[in-house]
Amino acid sequence: MAKHLHESIVYSNEFTLVNSPAFYDCIVHLICTDGTGSFLYNDHPFTMSKNDIAVISRPQLVSKIEKDENFRCEYIAAPDKFLHNLLPANNYAIRGCVSLFDNPIIKVDELDASHFKIDISNIKNRIDNIDHQFYQELMGSLLQTMVYDLFDFHSKTNNDILTTDRVGYITTQFYTLLEGGRAKTQREVSHYAEQLHVTPKYLSDTIKRVTGTSVSTHINNAATAIALEYLKNSNMSVSQIADEMNFSSISYFSRFCVKNIGMSPMKFRTVSTKKLQE
């Protein structure tokens, strides 16, 4: 990320700014606290009223934002890459994000709405606490709590989050492979296409159409989560991790980490160790 984390996590109550270019690499997590508002997302209309939550993973696809005079909201925008790196690959996030791209609105009761507002308030109150020696970990833990609450809210009313037609079937099976940890050693689109008995182009077009994100990005996100888990919680050397994850060389693994984590695996471990010792 080009900006400091402190500059990238934003609290706001300005509904008309949710599609600001400043948020194009972020996910917006918004709750309506009063009134009625509406917007187009990926050219589909959505309406919000009190206690409705919207999770908008592609703010650039939001348009025609409207609200009545009573409308009030508050939201947190946080970098997409940072959020992805907080969560393990095999969880509700993968399928839930697919469903939320199709319909970003989560309807919750008064109790869950109060929990979510507390999550937002906790993040808002600590955003400027940049002197904290573990600022990134602090904000990560608060954002992680918010995201897991959202998974809980969403799962209550979305038991079957993908359709049963061919597109839905292929999408479901693709995410089943990722949830099973396949990205640990397999990061080529062609591998997943072969497993699903479709062409790489068909798989790429299908995943892009359903989720708005490329199939390679989903694979890399899953592989990054696995790499982070090894770097954080194992005693394996970087060379051993590279071998375990089927990278052809340490340098290739290092380039992967720089691109997806923001630093080399050795630097990541050095920074993590230094923070623990401080």
Side-chain angles (χ1 to χ4, degrees):
M1 290 174 289
K3 296 188 293 183
H4 187 276
L5 183 62
H6 170 246
E7 300 170 318
S8 300
I9 301 174
V10 176
Y11 167 85
S12 179
N13 53 19
E14 295 291 339
F15 186 48
T16 57
L17 296 182
V18 295
N19 60 352
S20 166
F23 298 151
Y24 282 5
D25 65 345
C26 293
I27 299 177
V28 174
H29 311 82
L30 178 150
I31 185 166
C32 171
T33 56
D34 200 6
T36 301
S38 65
F39 57 92
L40 293 183
Y41 185 49
N42 198 25
D43 294 325
H44 298 293
F46 296 96
T47 300
M48 300 187 71
S49 56
K50 184 176 180 180
N51 291 340
D52 285 349
I53 295 171
V55 180
I56 302 171
S57 60
R58 302 286 295 280
Q60 60 267 45
L61 299 181
V62 174
S63 61
K64 293 188 177 180
I65 301 171
E66 298 179 356
K67 59 179 181 175
D68 65 24
E69 62 181 12
N70 297 317
F71 184 84
R72 300 289 184 276
C73 74
E74 53 181 338
Y75 59 87
I76 293 291
D80 177 50
K81 179 174 284 190
F82 184 67
L83 291 169
H84 275 297
N85 288 345
L86 291 175
L87 303 168
N90 56 340
N91 60 41
Y92 191 83
I94 296 175
R95 296 177 188 234
C97 287
V98 174
S99 177
L100 286 167
F101 179 74
D102 184 56
N103 179 4
I105 306 297
I106 306 173
K107 294 187 176 295
V108 300
D109 59 25
E110 196 72 39
L111 179 60
D112 284 345
S114 68
H115 288 158
F116 186 65
K117 284 184 279 190
I118 290 171
D119 290 337
I120 288 181
S121 178
N122 287 338
I123 295 167
K124 173 189 175 185
N125 291 338
R126 303 305 292 271
I127 286 177
D128 292 330
N129 194 189
I130 56 176
D131 292 332
H132 196 292
Q133 292 190 40
F134 302 96
Y135 180 77
Q136 181 162 313
E137 290 80 1
L138 169 69
M139 297 309 299
S141 67
L142 295 174
L143 286 163
Q144 190 176 59
T145 297
M146 179 186 70
V147 170
Y148 276 120
D149 276 343
L150 287 169
F151 290 168
D152 177 60
F153 305 157
H154 187 256
S155 65
K156 291 175 182 177
T157 55
N158 292 270
N159 293 323
D160 183 13
I161 62 175
L162 288 175
T163 60
T164 56
D165 60 15
R166 178 166 173 75
V167 169
Y169 174 79
I170 293 298
T171 305
T172 301
Q173 293 305 306
F174 171 66
Y175 288 114
T176 297
L177 291 174
L178 290 185
E179 289 166 354
R182 188 66 63 101
K184 173 183 173 181
T185 58
Q186 301 293 339
R187 292 171 292 277
E188 297 296 327
V189 175
S190 58
H191 169 80
Y192 295 87
E194 182 179 350
Q195 294 298 305
L196 299 173
H197 308 292
V198 297
T199 66
K201 184 178 186 308
Y202 180 86
L203 180 61
S204 297
D205 290 348
T206 298
I207 298 302
K208 179 70 172 180
R209 185 167 71 253
V210 172
T211 71
T213 303
S214 72
V215 65
S216 295
T217 297
H218 288 291
I219 295 169
N220 282 337
N221 285 342
T224 300
I226 294 170
L228 283 167
E229 186 68 21
Y230 276 123
L231 290 170
K232 290 176 181 176
N233 301 315
S234 82
N235 294 320
M236 296 170 66
S237 68
V238 171
S239 176
Q240 289 173 322
I241 295 172
D243 287 341
E244 184 75 11
M245 293 189 67
N246 199 30
F247 283 93
S248 58
S249 65
I250 297 179
S251 61
Y252 183 21
F253 178 55
S254 182
R255 289 196 299 272
F256 175 87
C257 290
V258 169
K259 179 179 179 181
N260 293 284
I261 300 174
M263 62 184 75
S264 71
M266 289 299 295
K267 184 176 181 180
F268 177 85
R269 277 192 159 169
T270 299
V271 170
S272 299
T273 301
K274 183 179 179 180
K275 287 180 177 179
L276 289 174
Q277 292 174 344
E278 290 177 345

Short mmCIF file of all heavy atoms in Angstrom, two decimals, residues 159-187:
data_model
loop_
_atom_site.label_atom_id
_atom_site.label_comp_id
_atom_site.label_asym_id
_atom_site.label_seq_id
_atom_site.Cartn_x
_atom_site.Cartn_y
_atom_site.Cartn_z
N ASN A 159 -28.01 -18.98 3.84
CA ASN A 159 -27.51 -20.35 3.92
C ASN A 159 -27.02 -20.86 2.58
O ASN A 159 -26.01 -21.56 2.49
CB ASN A 159 -28.61 -21.28 4.45
CG ASN A 159 -28.96 -20.97 5.89
OD1 ASN A 159 -28.09 -20.65 6.69
ND2 ASN A 159 -30.25 -21.03 6.21
N ASP A 160 -27.73 -20.53 1.53
CA ASP A 160 -27.35 -20.96 0.18
C ASP A 160 -26.93 -19.72 -0.58
O ASP A 160 -27.76 -19.02 -1.15
CB ASP A 160 -28.52 -21.64 -0.53
CG ASP A 160 -28.13 -22.16 -1.90
OD1 ASP A 160 -26.92 -22.21 -2.20
OD2 ASP A 160 -29.04 -22.50 -2.68
N ILE A 161 -25.65 -19.41 -0.58
CA ILE A 161 -25.21 -18.13 -1.11
C ILE A 161 -24.78 -18.18 -2.57
O ILE A 161 -24.31 -17.18 -3.09
CB ILE A 161 -24.07 -17.55 -0.25
CG1 ILE A 161 -22.85 -18.47 -0.25
CG2 ILE A 161 -24.55 -17.28 1.15
CD1 ILE A 161 -21.66 -17.89 0.48
N LEU A 162 -24.89 -19.31 -3.22
CA LEU A 162 -24.63 -19.36 -4.64
C LEU A 162 -25.74 -20.14 -5.33
O LEU A 162 -26.30 -21.08 -4.79
CB LEU A 162 -23.28 -20.03 -4.95
CG LEU A 162 -22.04 -19.19 -4.58
CD1 LEU A 162 -20.78 -20.01 -4.82
CD2 LEU A 162 -21.98 -17.90 -5.40
N THR A 163 -26.04 -19.75 -6.56
CA THR A 163 -27.11 -20.40 -7.29
C THR A 163 -26.71 -21.81 -7.69
O THR A 163 -25.55 -22.19 -7.61
CB THR A 163 -27.44 -19.61 -8.56
OG1 THR A 163 -26.25 -19.53 -9.38
CG2 THR A 163 -27.89 -18.20 -8.22
N THR A 164 -27.70 -22.60 -8.14
CA THR A 164 -27.44 -24.00 -8.48
C THR A 164 -27.28 -24.21 -9.98
O THR A 164 -27.15 -25.34 -10.43
CB THR A 164 -28.61 -24.87 -7.98
OG1 THR A 164 -29.83 -24.38 -8.55
CG2 THR A 164 -28.70 -24.83 -6.48
N ASP A 165 -27.31 -23.13 -10.81
CA ASP A 165 -27.09 -23.30 -12.25
C ASP A 165 -25.61 -23.56 -12.52
O ASP A 165 -24.80 -23.65 -11.61
CB ASP A 165 -27.61 -22.10 -13.03
CG ASP A 165 -26.91 -20.80 -12.62
OD1 ASP A 165 -25.86 -20.87 -11.95
OD2 ASP A 165 -27.42 -19.73 -12.98
N ARG A 166 -25.24 -23.69 -13.79
CA ARG A 166 -23.86 -24.05 -14.12
C ARG A 166 -22.86 -23.01 -13.63
O ARG A 166 -21.81 -23.36 -13.07
CB ARG A 166 -23.72 -24.24 -15.64
CG ARG A 166 -22.28 -24.58 -16.07
CD ARG A 166 -22.21 -25.08 -17.49
NE ARG A 166 -20.85 -25.25 -17.95
CZ ARG A 166 -20.04 -26.24 -17.60
NH1 ARG A 166 -20.46 -27.16 -16.74
NH2 ARG A 166 -18.82 -26.31 -18.08
N VAL A 167 -23.19 -21.74 -13.82
CA VAL A 167 -22.30 -20.69 -13.35
C VAL A 167 -22.12 -20.80 -11.84
O VAL A 167 -21.00 -20.73 -11.32
CB VAL A 167 -22.85 -19.30 -13.73
CG1 VAL A 167 -22.08 -18.20 -13.01
CG2 VAL A 167 -22.77 -19.10 -15.24
N GLY A 168 -23.23 -20.97 -11.12
CA GLY A 168 -23.16 -21.11 -9.68
C GLY A 168 -22.38 -22.35 -9.26
O GLY A 168 -21.61 -22.32 -8.30
N TYR A 169 -22.57 -23.44 -9.99
CA TYR A 169 -21.88 -24.69 -9.68
C TYR A 169 -20.36 -24.53 -9.85
O TYR A 169 -19.58 -24.92 -8.96
CB TYR A 169 -22.38 -25.82 -10.58
CG TYR A 169 -21.60 -27.11 -10.41
CD1 TYR A 169 -21.85 -27.95 -9.33
CD2 TYR A 169 -20.61 -27.47 -11.33
CE1 TYR A 169 -21.12 -29.13 -9.16
CE2 TYR A 169 -19.88 -28.64 -11.17
CZ TYR A 169 -20.14 -29.46 -10.09
OH TYR A 169 -19.41 -30.62 -9.93
N ILE A 170 -19.95 -23.96 -10.99
CA ILE A 170 -18.52 -23.77 -11.24
C ILE A 170 -17.91 -22.85 -10.20
O ILE A 170 -16.82 -23.11 -9.67
CB ILE A 170 -18.30 -23.20 -12.66
CG1 ILE A 170 -18.70 -24.23 -13.73
CG2 ILE A 170 -16.85 -22.77 -12.84
CD1 ILE A 170 -17.89 -25.51 -13.69
N THR A 171 -18.63 -21.79 -9.86
CA THR A 171 -18.13 -20.85 -8.86
C THR A 171 -17.98 -21.53 -7.50
O THR A 171 -16.98 -21.37 -6.81
CB THR A 171 -19.07 -19.63 -8.74
OG1 THR A 171 -19.23 -19.04 -10.04
CG2 THR A 171 -18.50 -18.60 -7.78
N THR A 172 -19.02 -22.29 -7.12
CA THR A 172 -18.98 -23.00 -5.84
C THR A 172 -17.81 -23.97 -5.77
O THR A 172 -17.07 -24.02 -4.78
CB THR A 172 -20.29 -23.79 -5.62
OG1 THR A 172 -21.39 -22.89 -5.62
CG2 THR A 172 -20.27 -24.53 -4.30
N GLN A 173 -17.62 -24.74 -6.85
CA GLN A 173 -16.54 -25.73 -6.86
C GLN A 173 -15.16 -25.07 -6.84
O GLN A 173 -14.22 -25.58 -6.21
CB GLN A 173 -16.68 -26.64 -8.09
CG GLN A 173 -17.92 -27.52 -8.06
CD GLN A 173 -17.99 -28.36 -6.80
OE1 GLN A 173 -17.05 -29.08 -6.47
NE2 GLN A 173 -19.10 -28.27 -6.08
N PHE A 174 -15.04 -23.93 -7.53
CA PHE A 174 -13.77 -23.20 -7.51
C PHE A 174 -13.42 -22.79 -6.08
O PHE A 174 -12.30 -22.99 -5.61
CB PHE A 174 -13.85 -21.99 -8.42
CG PHE A 174 -12.68 -21.05 -8.30
CD1 PHE A 174 -11.40 -21.45 -8.70
CD2 PHE A 174 -12.84 -19.77 -7.79
CE1 PHE A 174 -10.31 -20.59 -8.58
CE2 PHE A 174 -11.76 -18.91 -7.68
CZ PHE A 174 -10.50 -19.32 -8.07
N TYR A 175 -14.40 -22.24 -5.37
CA TYR A 175 -14.13 -21.79 -4.00
C TYR A 175 -13.95 -22.97 -3.06
O TYR A 175 -13.23 -22.87 -2.06
CB TYR A 175 -15.23 -20.84 -3.52
CG TYR A 175 -15.12 -19.51 -4.21
CD1 TYR A 175 -16.10 -19.08 -5.08
CD2 TYR A 175 -14.00 -18.72 -4.02
CE1 TYR A 175 -15.97 -17.87 -5.74
CE2 TYR A 175 -13.85 -17.51 -4.68
CZ TYR A 175 -14.84 -17.09 -5.53
OH TYR A 175 -14.70 -15.90 -6.19
N THR A 176 -14.56 -24.10 -3.35
CA THR A 176 -14.33 -25.30 -2.55
C THR A 176 -12.88 -25.73 -2.65
O THR A 176 -12.25 -26.11 -1.64
CB THR A 176 -15.25 -26.45 -3.02
OG1 THR A 176 -16.61 -26.07 -2.81
CG2 THR A 176 -14.96 -27.73 -2.25
N LEU A 177 -12.30 -25.62 -3.85
CA LEU A 177 -10.88 -25.95 -4.03
C LEU A 177 -10.00 -24.99 -3.22
O LEU A 177 -9.05 -25.41 -2.56
CB LEU A 177 -10.51 -25.89 -5.51
CG LEU A 177 -11.11 -26.97 -6.42
CD1 LEU A 177 -10.78 -26.69 -7.88
CD2 LEU A 177 -10.60 -28.36 -6.02
N LEU A 178 -10.32 -23.70 -3.27
CA LEU A 178 -9.53 -22.72 -2.51
C LEU A 178 -9.67 -22.94 -1.02
O LEU A 178 -8.69 -22.87 -0.27
CB LEU A 178 -9.96 -21.30 -2.87
CG LEU A 178 -9.60 -20.77 -4.26
CD1 LEU A 178 -10.00 -19.31 -4.38
CD2 LEU A 178 -8.12 -20.95 -4.57
N GLU A 179 -10.90 -23.19 -0.56
CA GLU A 179 -11.13 -23.39 0.87
C GLU A 179 -10.42 -24.63 1.38
O GLU A 179 -10.08 -24.73 2.56
CB GLU A 179 -12.63 -23.50 1.13
CG GLU A 179 -13.36 -22.17 0.96
CD GLU A 179 -14.87 -22.34 0.90
OE1 GLU A 179 -15.34 -23.49 0.86
OE2 GLU A 179 -15.57 -21.32 0.87
N GLY A 180 -10.18 -25.59 0.49
CA GLY A 180 -9.48 -26.81 0.88
C GLY A 180 -7.97 -26.64 0.92
O GLY A 180 -7.24 -27.60 1.20
N GLY A 181 -7.48 -25.43 0.62
CA GLY A 181 -6.05 -25.16 0.71
C GLY A 181 -5.29 -25.45 -0.57
O GLY A 181 -4.05 -25.51 -0.56
N ARG A 182 -6.00 -25.60 -1.68
CA ARG A 182 -5.34 -25.94 -2.95
C ARG A 182 -4.30 -24.89 -3.36
O ARG A 182 -3.29 -25.22 -3.99
CB ARG A 182 -6.40 -26.12 -4.03
CG ARG A 182 -5.89 -26.66 -5.36
CD ARG A 182 -5.40 -28.09 -5.23
NE ARG A 182 -6.46 -28.99 -4.84
CZ ARG A 182 -7.11 -29.80 -5.70
NH1 ARG A 182 -6.78 -29.77 -6.98
NH2 ARG A 182 -8.04 -30.61 -5.27
N ALA A 183 -4.54 -23.62 -2.99
CA ALA A 183 -3.62 -22.55 -3.40
C ALA A 183 -2.27 -22.66 -2.73
O ALA A 183 -1.33 -21.95 -3.10
CB ALA A 183 -4.24 -21.19 -3.11
N LYS A 184 -2.14 -23.54 -1.75
CA LYS A 184 -0.84 -23.75 -1.10
C LYS A 184 0.22 -24.14 -2.13
O LYS A 184 1.36 -23.66 -2.08
CB LYS A 184 -0.97 -24.83 -0.04
CG LYS A 184 0.35 -25.25 0.59
CD LYS A 184 0.13 -26.38 1.59
CE LYS A 184 1.43 -26.93 2.10
NZ LYS A 184 1.23 -28.05 3.06
N THR A 185 -0.16 -25.00 -3.06
CA THR A 185 0.81 -25.48 -4.05
C THR A 185 0.41 -25.22 -5.49
O THR A 185 1.22 -25.36 -6.39
CB THR A 185 1.04 -27.00 -3.89
OG1 THR A 185 -0.22 -27.68 -4.04
CG2 THR A 185 1.62 -27.32 -2.52
N GLN A 186 -0.85 -24.84 -5.71
CA GLN A 186 -1.35 -24.66 -7.08
C GLN A 186 -1.85 -23.22 -7.26
O GLN A 186 -2.84 -22.83 -6.65
CB GLN A 186 -2.49 -25.65 -7.38
CG GLN A 186 -2.11 -27.11 -7.25
CD GLN A 186 -1.11 -27.55 -8.31
OE1 GLN A 186 -0.96 -26.91 -9.36
NE2 GLN A 186 -0.42 -28.65 -8.05
N ARG A 187 -1.16 -22.46 -8.10
CA ARG A 187 -1.52 -21.05 -8.28
C ARG A 187 -1.75 -20.67 -9.73
O ARG A 187 -1.86 -19.49 -10.06
CB ARG A 187 -0.42 -20.16 -7.65
CG ARG A 187 -0.39 -20.27 -6.13
CD ARG A 187 0.80 -19.58 -5.52
NE ARG A 187 2.06 -20.26 -5.84
CZ ARG A 187 2.52 -21.32 -5.17
NH1 ARG A 187 1.85 -21.81 -4.14
NH2 ARG A 187 3.66 -21.88 -5.52
#
